[in-house]
Amino acid sequence: ELLLVLRALDDEDRILETLSSSQGNILEDEMAIQVLDEAKVLSNEIGAKQRVAEETSRKINETRAGYQPIAKHSSVLFFVIADLANIDPMYQY
């Protein structure tokens, strides 16, 4: 993913350089068109990976939400057992 970010920054610099050095009609500059096409492909790759990451994040959040009831129950149980010693010293562990 870091590689994609670095490539995107490099492509951005290449696009800006190409646009600033272009003379005449930009649509006739084959190098500019090639740079823009490569940037579009990279943008599509990044977009696809972002969608996969968002879906993965959604699944993780759903799974985590499934564990919340048992976590709450377990924490209540722990503190009840820990406080039993306050009721009677026999329950110390």
Side-chain angles (χ1 to χ4, degrees), residues 22-71:
S22 178
Q23 296 185 7
N25 189 355
I26 188 112
L27 297 176
E28 294 175 358
D29 188 355
E30 287 187 31
M31 183 175 170
I33 292 173
Q34 180 182 0
V35 168
L36 291 172
D37 284 341
E38 290 172 4
K40 183 178 179 181
V41 168
L42 180 61
S43 174
N44 290 338
E45 287 178 24
I46 291 172
K49 291 187 180 199
Q50 281 179 332
R51 286 187 293 279
V52 169
E54 288 170 359
E55 178 66 21
T56 303
S57 178
R58 186 188 62 76
K59 287 180 182 178
I60 289 170
N61 288 336
E62 286 178 1
T63 303
R64 182 176 44 227
Y67 287 105
Q68 285 179 342
I70 191 67

Side-chain angles (χ1 to χ4, degrees), residues 1-15:
E1 291 181 17
L2 182 60
L3 181 61
L4 284 177
V5 171
L6 293 175
R7 281 183 49 204
L9 291 174
D10 183 48
D11 280 356
E12 182 180 332
D13 290 340
R14 287 178 51 206
I15 289 169

